[in-house]
Amino acid sequence: MPLISTPHLQSKPKARFGGALHGALQHVEALGDPQQAKQVQQHQPVQEDASTTSIGTPVDEVDNGASYPHLLPKVMVPFSTKPGETPRKVQIQRKRRLYACQDIHQLVSQQGLNFEQLSRQPPEYWDHIEVFDDTDHESRNPEQWVPRIPGIPKSQGKVAVRCQDGSISWMDALVLDFDSTGNRYLVQLQSGAASRSITPTANTAAYPSSRTAGAAASTPSAPFWIPRVQLCFAAEDPALYAKRFAAACVAVSAADVQLAHELCIDSMPIDDVPQLTTEQVNRVLTFAMNSKKLKDRLMDTSTLINEANLEHARAMNKATLQALAAAAGTGNAAQGESSAAEGYAAAAAGASVVGVQLLPLVLPPAEPVKPVPAKGTVEVPATYDFREQLSEFSFRTLLTKPEVIHALSKIRLESSKVIKMSLFNTFSSKSVRLEEFEQLQTAATDSVANHLRDNWSASTKNIIKSAFKDVGKGWYNLAETSFETYRFSKLRRFLGLVRFSMEDTLRFLAEGSMRKFVTFMQGCCSDVVDVASTSKVTVDSKDLSRKAPLLLTELVVAPEGGGFAYSTPVETIHSKIIAVFDRAISKLQGLNQLEPGIMDQLFWPSALLLNSVHLQEEVTVRARDALSGCLLASLQPLRSYLGQYSTYNGLLNVDVESYVQRFAAQGVDLSLADISKEVANQIAELSYMEENLLPTVNLGLVQVNCVKVRDTLLRKKEKLVGMLKAVVARVPRAMVSLTSAKFSELERQVKAKAVSIEEVDAQRKFIAELPAKMASLVAEVEAAKPWYNALEAMRYLLPDEDAKEKLVGISWQNKLMGAAERSLEGLSSDETKYADEMVAQQEDFVSKVNNMATALTAAQQHSNLAKVDIVAGIVSSLDQQLKATQKEAEQLNAREGLLGKPMTDYRNIKQLADQFDPFIQFWTATATWKNNHKSWLTDTFEKLDGETVEKDVSTAYKVLYKMGKAFASRGLDQMAANAETVRLEVEQFKTIVPLVQAMRNPGMRPRHWDQLSADLGSDLHPDSSYTLDKALKQGLLAHLDTITKVADVASKEYSIEQALDKLQREWEGAELGVLEYRDTGTYVIKVEEAMSQQIDDHIVMLQSMAFSPYKKPFEDRLAKWDTTLNLVSEALDQWLALHRTWMYLEPIFSSEDIMQQLPLEGKRFATVDRSWRKTLDAAKRNPNLLKMCGSRKLLDQLTESNKLLDSVQKGLADYLETKRLAFARFFFLSNDELLQILSQTKNPLAVQPHLRKCFEAIASLDFSANLEITAMNSAEKEKVSL
């Protein structure tokens, strides 16, 4: 059965159709398919008025995706239609209904295809059809059929699949993706279609991008790749698709026949075929080499002749084959009236000779023989009026004037020059910075734009004016003043032609420039760059002619600190190059038409502009998208390379001095092994950096200069290594320096000059103990040697001072022992000298003691109390002399012991001191009493201190009582009587002491003196002239009880007053701790626990004072402080509660994602945040606790803020509960962890730290560059690829 059958022509259906169906039938009939029109008619109810229904039914009601262009048929209808015309939406609706009711299987059958034979074809057959698919009539590109825009519905269509019974059918499917390079589409059969299909017809396993070649047989609904020829989109005309499909099948059959035919001819022997004769060869050479230049070159034509003989032999074999086929009766070669389709169908079916099989193939059908014309010219009908046609042609054409032809030729010459220009500079010999690249492109664009405005327009205008300046009135009157006349003139048509030519020139210029620039940029972006590390960057360059990367940038430290950045941000490169592209296209806008300038005698109401390519045109959008795509791909290595430098962020941000200080601050915990390991690590890192940090690196499109960053990092690392070595050197230097100081002290003591016999003895003992003392110091010097050895291993050159310190420390032992030997030699002579001096000193001392004894005896004879001051002075002087004598005696005895001599007895000095001691105490106490008694009575009352008076009186009474007994026991009656007399005076004064203590109570205030005055009946307000003697004369001693009672009350009130004064002093200086909080631009408060406890203690103290019977003078003050401290306590409690909640919520609502998802809570938090910042700014300016927290307004504000934040937290909890109910595994996460994920919804990597809690077996995920999940990893390092 032939693959293609001849279609049967049918008459046009005569049934009555609606408007929509009528339009569809017209379209089908125009394609020559009346059978298809009949099919459409059969699917439409005859009684329904389609035009009325279509107009009354909105297009958007058809389905939810009706508003998306890729789901709608294409119609060549304006978007805005005139009244009476069919609206665009209605026509689209009609086409959709027409396309939906057509059966592709039937349409393909009408094209003559044999489906029974088609179903028996192997899978490779469909790959062949794809090769012969004619895409010239494709109405849309893949991006328009299947837009890659998230959130829009997928395209629908019908896919050719093999059913369970082996037949070929078109099934409903969704189109998921496309591959423009292979013209393949990823489709998925819908549920109803998938149940009836077995496998895709195409050999999807042979397609590299196919993911379901093997899975399609077991799961037909799985996505699979197919060629375009097997897919008919729902928005595509099924009739055109059927013709396209049938044409591809016919082309495959024709190609099979033609290939077999050519193979047969090539396989036929040529040995017996006669070659071209010499005459024929000479004739060919004569005609081929008929120019003088070819004849003079004496070319070797043997190779060409051999080729000609081979082609001649093939032609003879082909003629022989055709003759044999014609003689055998195949008929293909002789039947010129047969159609090509029938011939190819017969070839596919396998024709045979009548009776005998000639060949296992058939010949391709011969081309129809054209009839030989009777004449060599075109016959003109007799009814054709040549003169009338010539006149009509002359009336309408512009080419009757030589001036027009001359002007057009010159204008086209100028336009050809413009077309050869370019809006962009596509020449690159070296890498330039983005600013320079932008300047080069701007200069090229401006140069062309200026030429267009200044030169091209002016020259074209001059050409026209000069060409028609002498024409005068008529069709080409440049001086025409009537616009009506001008409208019907040929000059207007000519200028219109010039305008169209100029607009075409601008379009060719724009499209050519865009094509060159995109090609140039794609060439610059064609390198495949693999960034493995900072030093391992592999560049696979596809454009070997390019000498250097196009752009140049510099790696620098980020201006805000904390990392690295490019001097030209990656996003800026993309945006500026796109801006250069857009600017160049925009420069072609706004060019004036020449018509108003040439016809300057006419009135033109507005400026007329030439149409040019604009930024929204499809060609511009495609070029911009291609440019943007290659730029984005080529800029990715820059981001990857910048990411490699993130490992050096720690070194960049570290403060070397602080790091070394913290490291050195470990003190005794810092061992030599630890610091040596640290230095070795830093040196290794420095070597690694020197090797792996490249000065410049080629990243394809951009060359990165890393010199500054490299030098910065290396200098910082070198500084760190140097400072760490200095820390190592500092340890032994400190050890040796401290030891040298100790050695120096020993040396000073060894060299010290002895000035007495005691020092001589001490010096000898010190020298004897010197070896033992030096042993520990020598050990300290030895302990520093490993540090010096480590410094030598680090190749550290000690400074001169350190080297000198080291040598001095090592030589101290020998130096000190030599000084000790020399010191011992001098001590022997010193000892002899000091012994002789001591003998003379003892002789003088004996005489001194005798004189002292005589003076003491004389002093004991004084007994006149009237001379108490004189005697007290004498006794005091003798007492000092006696103590000095005792000390000198002890010194002489000690020296005698040092010299080994027997000690002299000086006990008589001790006896003299004991005998004279009562006299010293009596006269000293009596003199002191006399002076104090006089001062207490006569000095001003304000100088008296009750406590001091009471103490001095008690001390004098005790001493006098004791000395009186001592004198009586010795028989010194006069001195005993004197002691008793003074004692009685003291005892009498003791009765006055309570009065002094009461009146000089520190708590006495004017109110107390007022009370005493009232109680005593006399004015008692002591002033500066008031004395104790005056008080006694007033008889106040008789009112002692009254005065004492008032003084006791004053004392109790004074204790309350002191407590309040202390409380005020403590709180007047109390301040809040106001600290900066991260990088929020605001502050937080810090309240010490001791301050909170102190507030509570003081409130309790004030409450206890409020119950005191002595509170009355301080009631207002107590109430004020109680109110203030309670207000401060409440304000602090509210503030601290708000502080904790604000710190918890602030990072949450700093996320834009959270603010968008919780707008109401976000507004409430923003309100509290503004209040918080304002309050904390005020606290920073004035941190006084009482002034800030003693405000009722602040308390109310903090209370209201806490209420708002409580509602925010409730809303946040409800929001989290909603998310947990939507995804139950969120119940395994805490609120903070869940918020951390939700606040970074645009960052899929944010889920990585929390996967273990959500999924038991998943520890992490692998993401691709476009953040798609590619694999799952377990904690045991198992990986499951997706």
Side-chain angles (χ1 to χ4, degrees):
M1 183 177 181
L3 180 63
I4 303 177
S5 60
T6 305
H8 300 283
L9 299 177
Q10 298 181 8
S11 60
K12 180 178 178 181
K14 300 180 179 180
R16 184 186 178 97
F17 297 96
L21 185 58
H22 179 69
L25 290 174
Q26 286 181 345
H27 172 70
V28 175
E29 289 173 354
L31 298 175
D33 292 326
Q35 183 67 27
Q36 181 179 350
K38 182 178 180 181
Q39 174 191 348
V40 175
Q41 175 191 3
Q42 293 172 354
H43 285 80
Q44 291 287 344
V46 176
Q47 68 275 12
E48 180 180 351
D49 188 351
S51 61
T52 306
T53 305
S54 299
I55 295 174
T57 304
V59 180
D60 296 339
E61 293 179 3
V62 178
D63 56 52
N64 294 333
S67 61
Y68 295 100
H70 68 290
L71 302 180
L72 302 177
K74 269 195 172 182
V75 293
M76 305 304 291
V77 178
F79 285 91
S80 299
T81 55
K82 299 178 181 179
E85 296 180 353
T86 305
R88 178 183 177 87
K89 287 187 177 181
V90 173
Q91 297 199 34
I92 292 175
Q93 172 67 2
R94 290 174 178 176
K95 276 202 173 185
R96 293 188 70 195
R97 292 182 176 179
L98 173 63
Y99 294 172
C101 70
Q102 297 184 51
D103 185 1
I104 299 178
H105 190 280
Q106 185 174 357
L107 293 174
V108 175
S109 299
Q110 293 173 4
Q111 297 298 322
L113 282 184
N114 188 334
F115 278 96
E116 181 179 353
Q117 187 172 353
L118 188 64
S119 62
R120 295 197 299 267
Q121 297 293 343
E124 294 79 7
Y125 179 77
W126 299 93
D127 294 334
H128 299 164
I129 292 180
E130 179 187 2
V131 174
F132 290 93
D133 182 24
D134 186 6
T135 60
D136 290 341
H137 301 291
E138 180 71 271
S139 60
R140 301 177 184 177
N141 56 37
E143 291 83 358
Q144 294 173 335
W145 281 122
V146 188
R148 290 173 173 167
I149 302 175
I152 67 173
K154 300 296 183 183
S155 298
Q156 299 180 1
K158 292 184 179 293
V159 179
V161 296
R162 193 184 302 276
C163 298
Q164 294 178 354
D165 57 359
S167 63
I168 303 299
S169 181
W170 274 263
M171 300 294 183
D172 293 331
L174 291 177
V175 187
L176 307 179
D177 199 0
F178 68 88
D179 178 20
S180 58
T181 57
N183 197 22
R184 297 236 173 177
Y185 291 81
L186 182 65
V187 299
Q188 182 178 24
L189 297 179
Q190 298 187 9
S191 58
S195 62
R196 297 187 292 148
S197 62
I198 295 178
T199 181
T201 54
N203 184 16
T204 57
Y207 187 62
S209 300
S210 177
R211 298 181 296 175
T212 59
S218 58
T219 45
S221 62
F224 55 91
W225 292 93
I226 61 169
R228 173 65 177 92
V229 71
Q230 288 182 235
L231 172 62
C232 178
F233 285 97
E236 182 180 5
D237 188 350
L240 289 179
Y241 170 78
K243 287 190 174 185
R244 176 178 177 178
F245 183 84
C249 294
V250 170
V252 171
S253 299
D256 288 340
V257 172
Q258 187 67 31
L259 288 174
H261 180 235
E262 295 296 332
L263 177 62
C264 182
I265 294 174
D266 290 338
S267 301
M268 294 175 67
I270 61 174
D271 297 336
D272 296 334
V273 178
Q275 296 184 352
L276 296 173
T277 63
T278 304
E279 181 184 357
Q280 291 172 331
V281 170
N282 291 334
R283 188 163 60 249
V284 169
L285 291 176
T286 300
F287 286 115
M289 304 178 66
N290 59 356
S291 65
K292 184 176 184 303
K293 183 179 291 186
L294 290 175
K295 292 178 181 179
D296 294 342
R297 291 180 62 181
L298 299 177
M299 294 178 58
D300 182 12
T301 59
S302 58
T303 304
L304 299 176
I305 293 174
N306 291 335
E307 291 181 6
N309 282 322
L310 180 60
E311 290 298 323
H312 175 262
R314 289 188 81 258
M316 293 297 101
N317 285 339
K318 182 176 180 180
T320 302
L321 181 62
Q322 291 177 348
L324 289 174
T330 58
N332 286 344
Q335 295 175 2
E337 67 278 4
S338 301
S339 65
E342 292 175 341
Y344 291 134
S352 60
V353 225
V354 177
V356 181
Q357 181 76 30
L358 175 64
L359 295 170
L361 52 88
V362 295
L363 299 180
E367 296 181 0
V369 179
K370 297 181 180 180
V372 179
K375 300 178 180 180
T377 59
V378 178
E379 185 176 358
V380 179
T383 58
Y384 185 81
D385 189 347
F386 179 77
R387 293 182 179 278
E388 181 181 354
Q389 296 297 328
L390 177 62
S391 176
E392 180 70 17
F393 175 77
S394 300
F395 178 77
R396 295 185 179 277
T397 186
L398 300 176
L399 303 178
T400 56
K401 283 280 188 180
E403 291 85 353
V404 174
I405 300 174
H406 180 69
L408 286 178
S409 62
K410 285 189 176 183
I411 290 172
R412 286 173 183 170
L413 179 61
E414 292 295 328
S415 298
S416 63
K417 294 179 182 178
V418 172
I419 293 175
K420 293 179 182 179
M421 295 181 177
S422 177
L423 295 170
F424 305 99
N425 184 348
T426 56
F427 175 76
S428 173
S429 60
K430 65 176 183 177
S431 302
V432 296
R433 296 188 177 274
L434 181 61
E435 294 77 10
E436 298 175 19
F437 176 80
E438 192 176 9
Q439 291 173 1
L440 290 174
Q441 301 303 328
T442 301
T445 302
D446 291 344
S447 175
V448 174
N450 293 335
H451 174 77
L452 295 177
R453 284 184 171 82
D454 301 336
N455 300 335
W456 184 47
S457 297
S459 61
T460 305
K461 181 179 177 181
N462 293 334
I463 289 172
I464 296 174
K465 283 194 171 185
S466 61
F468 297 105
K469 65 180 179 179
D470 299 328
V471 173
K473 295 183 178 181
W475 290 111
Y476 300 97
N477 184 12
L478 295 178
E480 184 63 59
T481 58
S482 172
F483 199 84
E484 290 298 324
T485 304
Y486 171 70
R487 285 178 57 191
F488 298 100
S489 67
K490 285 189 177 182
L491 180 59
R492 187 186 180 209
R493 291 164 52 198
F494 173 77
L495 293 180
L497 177 62
V498 172
R499 174 170 60 84
F500 290 142
S501 174
M502 295 181 72
E503 289 177 350
D504 286 346
T505 300
L506 292 177
R507 180 167 292 275
F508 291 147
L509 171 62
E511 293 180 356
S513 298
M514 287 190 291
R515 185 168 53 253
K516 289 180 184 178
F517 187 63
V518 172
T519 304
F520 169 70
M521 291 305 300
Q522 287 176 340
C524 295
C525 301
S526 61
D527 295 346
V528 179
V529 183
D530 180 23
V531 179
S533 65
T534 56
S535 60
K536 295 181 181 179
V537 179
T538 305
V539 181
D540 182 9
S541 180
K542 297 182 180 179
D543 185 5
L544 300 179
S545 62
R546 189 158 48 89
K547 299 179 181 179
L550 176 64
L551 300 177
L552 177 66
T553 189
E554 187 175 8
L555 187 65
V556 296
V557 178
E560 64 275 7
F564 301 93
Y566 293 114
S567 58
T568 303
V570 178
E571 295 76 11
T572 304
I573 296 177
H574 176 269
S575 61
K576 285 199 173 184
I577 293 180
I578 295 297
V580 165
F581 178 87
D582 291 344
R583 180 182 182 275
I585 303 303
S586 300
K587 278 289 185 178
L588 297 182
Q589 307 295 325
L591 290 177
N592 292 323
Q593 295 183 15
L594 301 183
E595 195 171 2
I598 294 175
M599 305 303 296
D600 50 6
Q601 300 296 324
L602 299 177
F603 172 72
W604 301 92
S606 61
L608 301 179
L609 302 178
L610 293 173
N611 293 326
S612 180
V613 178
H614 55 79
L615 296 177
Q616 285 72 36
E617 280 195 28
E618 183 177 0
V619 62
T620 310
V621 172
R622 284 202 304 268
R624 187 193 295 108
D625 292 344
L627 177 61
S628 177
C630 70
L631 284 175
L632 291 175
S634 63
L635 292 177
Q636 185 58 36
L638 269 77
R639 297 185 176 91
S640 302
Y641 192 75
L642 184 62
Q644 297 293 331
Y645 267 85
S646 61
T647 55
Y648 299 103
N649 287 345
L651 175 60
L652 179 67
N653 298 326
V654 71
D655 186 352
V656 176
E657 290 78 4
S658 301
Y659 176 83
V660 174
Q661 288 176 2
R662 288 194 302 271
F663 187 78
Q666 301 178 31
V668 295
D669 297 333
L670 189 64
S671 64
L672 177 60
D674 295 337
I675 196 168
S676 298
K677 181 180 179 180
E678 178 69 16
V679 173
N681 292 339
Q682 296 295 340
I683 292 176
E685 291 180 9
L686 177 60
S687 302
Y688 178 83
M689 291 169 58
E690 290 176 343
E691 181 179 354
N692 289 274
L693 295 183
L694 304 178
T696 58
V697 61
N698 179 3
L699 295 178
L701 174 65
V702 182
Q703 179 171 326
V704 181
N705 186 351
C706 310
V707 174
K708 290 185 178 180
V709 167
R710 182 178 187 271
D711 293 344
T712 299
L713 292 176
L714 290 180
R715 284 199 302 270
K716 202 163 192 179
K717 182 63 75 171
E718 289 171 354
K719 181 180 180 182
L720 179 58
V721 171
M723 293 187 70
L724 286 175
K725 289 182 179 180
V727 170
V728 180
R730 194 186 309 162
V731 174
R733 181 173 68 245
M735 295 169 63
V736 173
S737 178
L738 181 61
T739 306
S740 296
K742 295 177 181 178
F743 271 116
S744 298
E745 179 62 22
L746 293 179
E747 182 184 33
R748 185 190 64 77
Q749 294 180 16
V750 168
K751 292 182 177 180
K753 184 66 175 177
V755 295
S756 63
I757 191 61
E758 291 86 358
E759 293 183 3
V760 170
D761 182 68
Q763 191 77 343
R764 283 179 175 171
K765 291 179 180 180
F766 179 79
I767 293 174
E769 296 172 355
L770 188 60
K773 293 182 178 181
M774 284 195 303
S776 60
L777 300 181
V778 171
E780 292 178 6
V781 173
E782 291 295 326
K785 287 186 177 180
W787 293 86
Y788 285 115
N789 295 336
L791 288 171
E792 292 180 4
M794 298 175 191
R795 298 182 180 180
Y796 179 74
L797 181 62
L798 289 174
D800 294 341
E801 293 296 329
D802 290 7
K804 182 179 179 181
E805 191 77 32
K806 176 184 175 183
L807 294 175
V808 170
I810 295 174
S811 62
W812 264 116
Q813 185 177 10
N814 296 332
K815 180 180 179 181
L816 202 55
M817 291 305 297
E821 291 177 359
R822 291 190 295 272
S823 180
L824 286 174
E825 294 175 358
L827 289 177
S828 298
S829 59
D830 290 341
E831 182 180 358
T832 302
K833 182 180 69 172
Y834 294 141
D836 296 339
E837 291 178 355
M838 190 186 69
V839 172
Q841 183 181 359
Q842 284 181 320
E843 293 176 357
D844 294 338
F845 183 69
V846 172
S847 175
K848 183 177 180 180
V849 171
N850 292 333
N851 294 335
M852 176 63 67
T854 302
L856 291 176
T857 302
Q860 294 177 10
Q861 302 303 319
H862 294 288
S863 60
N864 188 359
L865 290 176
K867 299 181 179 180
V868 62
D869 293 335
I870 297 173
V871 175
I874 295 172
V875 169
S876 176
S877 175
L878 291 174
D879 180 48
Q880 294 176 359
Q881 295 177 17
L882 185 59
K883 289 177 179 178
T885 303
Q886 287 179 320
K887 186 176 181 180
E888 188 176 358
E890 292 172 356
Q891 183 181 30
L892 291 173
N893 285 334
R895 290 181 177 179
E896 288 175 339
L898 292 176
L899 294 173
K901 297 181 179 181
M903 294 187 181
T904 306
D905 187 8
Y906 294 116
R907 285 180 294 178
N908 58 333
I909 299 176
K910 174 63 175 171
Q911 293 173 357
L912 289 174
D914 294 340
Q915 184 179 4
F916 194 65
D917 182 65
F919 293 93
I920 295 174
Q921 292 191 45
F922 170 75
W923 289 110
T924 302
T926 301
T928 302
W929 158 251
K930 294 291 186 181
N931 293 330
N932 285 342
H933 184 264
K934 181 180 179 181
S935 173
W936 292 338
L937 290 176
T938 58
D939 286 349
T940 179
F941 197 70
E942 294 175 350
K943 294 182 179 180
L944 292 181
D945 184 358
E947 299 296 329
T948 304
V949 170
E950 193 274 335
K951 181 181 178 181
D952 290 345
V953 169
S954 298
T955 301
Y957 183 84
K958 292 178 181 178
V959 171
L960 292 172
Y961 180 79
K962 185 178 179 181
M963 294 303 102
K965 288 187 174 295
F967 289 143
S969 63
R970 291 186 184 184
L972 300 174
D973 297 335
Q974 184 59 41
M975 291 301 297
N978 290 340
E980 182 65 17
T981 302
V982 178
R983 186 186 67 80
L984 291 175
E985 292 179 4
V986 174
E987 185 177 7
Q988 182 182 1
F989 190 81
K990 286 178 70 175
T991 59
I992 306 174
V993 172
L995 179 63
V996 175
Q997 290 180 322
M999 296 184 67
R1000 288 300 300 152
N1001 190 310
M1004 294 293 288
R1005 296 293 181 265
R1007 62 178 179 274
H1008 301 120
W1009 295 114
D1010 293 340
Q1011 183 179 353
L1012 282 177
S1013 299
D1015 293 342
L1016 298 179
S1018 61
D1019 183 23
L1020 185 58
H1021 291 84
D1023 54 12
S1024 59
S1025 62
Y1026 196 77
T1027 61
L1028 180 59
D1029 184 52
K1030 185 176 182 180
L1032 293 175
K1033 290 179 180 180
Q1034 287 180 343
L1036 296 182
L1037 193 58
H1039 305 284
L1040 182 60
D1041 293 340
T1042 302
I1043 297 175
T1044 302
K1045 289 179 181 180
V1046 175
D1048 290 341
V1049 173
S1051 179
K1052 298 291 181 22
E1053 293 176 352
Y1054 181 65
S1055 62
I1056 296 176
E1057 184 180 5
Q1058 280 188 314
L1060 289 175
D1061 291 342
K1062 181 181 178 184
L1063 182 145
Q1064 183 172 353
R1065 288 194 302 271
E1066 290 177 353
W1067 287 113
E1068 282 179 347
E1071 292 186 351
L1072 283 168
V1074 184
L1075 309 176
E1076 290 186 0
Y1077 183 60
R1078 298 178 183 173
D1079 56 352
T1080 59
T1082 186
Y1083 310 91
V1084 293
I1085 61 170
K1086 180 181 180 182
V1087 180
E1088 300 291 344
E1089 182 65 26
M1091 181 179 291
S1092 299
Q1093 184 63 40
Q1094 189 177 21
I1095 291 176
D1096 296 338
D1097 293 344
H1098 284 177
I1099 291 175
V1100 172
M1101 182 186 73
L1102 290 171
Q1103 290 174 352
S1104 64
M1105 288 181 182
F1107 293 102
S1108 173
Y1110 307 103
K1111 68 174 183 178
K1112 186 174 182 180
F1114 312 103
E1115 281 182 341
D1116 295 340
R1117 194 175 177 189
L1118 286 171
K1120 178 182 177 182
W1121 274 107
D1122 184 64
T1123 302
T1124 300
L1125 291 185
N1126 277 291
L1127 182 58
V1128 170
S1129 178
E1130 292 180 18
L1132 279 180
D1133 291 341
Q1134 291 291 334
W1135 205 339
L1136 291 175
L1138 179 63
H1139 172 263
R1140 288 188 295 270
T1141 309
W1142 180 87
M1143 290 184 65
Y1144 171 70
L1145 295 176
E1146 190 276 335
I1148 296 174
F1149 286 94
S1150 295
S1151 169
E1152 294 183 0
D1153 294 334
I1154 296 295
M1155 291 293 287
Q1156 292 176 357
Q1157 298 170 40
L1158 297 173
L1160 178 59
E1161 286 74 9
K1163 290 181 179 178
R1164 290 176 178 174
F1165 178 80
T1167 301
V1168 175
D1169 185 67
R1170 288 192 297 271
S1171 174
W1172 172 272
R1173 293 174 183 272
K1174 183 178 179 181
T1175 303
L1176 265 295
D1177 288 342
K1180 183 66 175 178
R1181 294 191 298 270
N1182 184 13
N1184 186 271
L1185 179 64
L1186 295 181
K1187 292 183 179 180
M1188 281 302 302
C1189 298
S1191 170
R1192 174 63 62 180
K1193 181 179 179 182
L1194 176 65
L1195 177 60
D1196 295 340
Q1197 176 183 326
L1198 295 175
T1199 304
E1200 182 63 26
S1201 296
N1202 277 320
K1203 291 180 181 179
L1204 284 176
L1205 290 190
D1206 288 342
S1207 65
V1208 170
Q1209 284 185 302
K1210 184 179 182 302
L1212 186 61
D1214 294 341
Y1215 168 72
L1216 296 180
E1217 185 68 17
T1218 303
K1219 293 299 181 182
R1220 289 190 172 103
L1221 292 175
F1223 184 64
R1225 291 191 178 269
F1226 280 160
F1227 281 102
F1228 297 113
L1229 300 178
S1230 66
N1231 287 350
D1232 292 343
E1233 292 169 338
L1234 182 54
L1235 285 169
Q1236 186 178 357
I1237 296 175
L1238 296 177
S1239 62
Q1240 304 179 67
T1241 54
K1242 297 180 182 178
N1243 180 20
L1245 300 178
V1247 303
Q1248 289 277 38
H1250 313 293
L1251 287 173
R1252 294 175 181 265
K1253 292 186 177 182
C1254 291
F1255 303 96
E1256 182 178 359
I1258 300 178
S1260 63
L1261 297 173
D1262 291 346
F1263 289 85
S1264 63
N1266 58 355
L1267 297 180
E1268 292 184 354
I1269 300 175
T1270 59
M1272 299 181 295
N1273 305 310
S1274 67
E1276 293 76 18
K1277 306 302 181 182
E1278 297 177 345
K1279 176 175 289 191
V1280 177
S1281 300
L1282 302 177

